[in-house]
Amino acid sequence: MTAAILRFADSDHAAIESLLAHYGLSLVRVADGADIPGSFWGEEEAGIIGQTVYARGDTPVHSLLHEAGHLIVLPPERRADVHTDATDSIEEEDAVCYLQIVLAGTLVGVGRERLMADMDAWGYSFRLGSTRAWFEHDAGNAQAWLIAHGLLTPGDEPV
């Protein structure tokens, strides 16, 4: 487990912005201490409205990637209607959890291992007991969903 969860303030902002832009999303940095628009959980958790992800310096990178993942899995025409809560689909939620790990692997200074450790530290729960165990042994449905929707290659490369 990591000593401290990686926060947006300690990450490569340009790399995250570039990653989100690849999917037609924008990133807005919210002032420290201000409420985060579109945050489902409040506090420091990232928010989503339309095609925009909102984050503060204290927002965990795993939260930012998770919320971005919710927008990425939606067809662009459905994104415009999103405000705070993107889905009630278990399949989509699983796909988003898988995608956030894959996306973390594309970011220098984040990586899959760090993100999975942060997810565990934050309290994500998977029936096999850890994010890594879920990702490696129980997430075939999430991976298949992402492949079927053209968001992932069979080799786990994001499209």
Side-chain angles (χ1 to χ4, degrees):
M1 191 176 303
T2 57
I5 290 173
L6 182 63
R7 305 290 175 156
F8 180 55
D10 300 318
S11 65
D12 183 341
H13 300 170
I16 293 173
E17 286 177 6
S18 178
L19 175 64
L20 270 55
H22 173 76
Y23 292 98
L25 306 177
S26 60
L27 176 64
V28 171
R29 180 159 184 179
V30 177
D32 291 344
D35 288 341
I36 299 174
S39 178
F40 184 81
W41 298 106
E43 311 227 356
E44 66 264 14
E45 295 285 339
I48 50 174
I49 300 173
Q51 297 189 80
T52 304
V53 178
Y54 296 87
R56 282 192 318 228
D58 63 343
T59 297
V61 171
H62 69 80
S63 174
L64 192 160
L65 292 176
H66 185 87
E67 296 307 321
H70 274 297
L71 296 178
I72 291 167
V73 303
L74 290 175
E77 64 274 8
R78 286 193 43 216
R79 292 178 187 168
D81 296 330
V82 172
H83 193 301
T84 309
D85 191 6
T87 188
D88 58 359
S89 163
I90 292 170
E91 292 80 15
E92 272 188 32
E93 188 66 35
D94 288 348
V96 167
C97 287
Y98 196 95
L99 184 59
Q100 80 188 88
I101 295 165
V102 171
L103 294 176
T106 70
L107 295 171
V108 174
V110 182
R112 291 180 182 195
E113 297 300 320
R114 173 63 190 262
L115 196 83
M116 288 188 280
D118 284 358
M119 290 169 72
D120 287 343
W122 199 252
Y124 284 70
S125 63
F126 296 99
R127 66 180 165 210
L128 294 184
S130 74
T131 305
R132 177 193 263 288
W134 171 79
F135 185 81
E136 293 178 352
H137 305 290
D138 194 34
N141 62 329
Q143 181 190 43
W145 192 98
L146 291 164
I147 291 168
H149 287 83
L151 296 168
L152 195 66
T153 68
D156 267 358
E157 295 299 319
V159 175

